[in-house]
């Protein structure tokens, strides 16, 4: 069983930056591909970015590509999402998720591929 705890959300002006963190406990962290998702009010949860267990492979949704960077520090059992040039449409609750079934391979974009979820952290971007 893996527990995931996100932090780093908050209120920021458009054009600003935030770095989200997701600390994992339980299991062997490198065995989990990790992903970030977000959910705005009234919308479905959408994929943001994913990273393989080693950190060597990453994948981004089109919207944040070039502005967001996913990374991980396996020594700290933590995955990060660096968000730059934030826009009001980035406002959402951001969730990290762990994929166990692919044994560390790069997971995909569907929430159903992920086995464990954090509680979420709110990101609000003001115009």
């Amino acid at each position: 069983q893996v527990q995931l705890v996100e932090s780093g959300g908050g209120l920021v002006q458009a054009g600003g930056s935030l770095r989200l963190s997701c600390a994992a406990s339980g299991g062997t962290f490198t065995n989990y591909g990790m992903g970030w998702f977000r959910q705005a009010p009234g919308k479905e949860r959408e994929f943001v970015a994913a990273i393989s267990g080693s950190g060597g492979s990453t994948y981004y949704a089109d919207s944040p590509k070039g502005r967001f960077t996913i990374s991980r520090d396996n020594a700290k059992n933590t995955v990060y999402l660096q968000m730059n040039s934030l826009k009001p449409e980035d406002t959402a609750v951001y969730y990290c998720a762990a994929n166990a079934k692919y044994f560390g391979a790069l997971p995909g974009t569907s929430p159903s591929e992920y086995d464990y979820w954090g509680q979420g952290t709110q990101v609000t971007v003001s115009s």
Side-chain angles (χ1 to χ4, degrees), residues 16-41:
S17 299
L18 282 174
R19 187 176 81 156
L20 305 183
S21 300
C22 173
S25 61
T28 301
F29 190 55
T30 52
N31 287 347
Y32 300 103
M34 300 295 294
W36 285 97
F37 288 76
R38 65 187 181 186
Q39 188 166 18

Side-chain angles (χ1 to χ4, degrees), residues 75-113:
K76 295 182 178 180
N77 286 3
T78 301
V79 62
Y80 304 98
L81 185 68
Q82 178 67 45
M83 305 186 294
N84 299 328
S85 301
L86 282 161
K87 305 175 181 179
E89 51 263 43
D90 294 318
T91 294
V93 177
Y94 282 71
Y95 299 90
C96 73
N99 170 292
K101 58 177 68 70
Y102 297 168
F103 302 102
L106 183 67
T109 64
S110 172
S112 65
E113 296 184 56

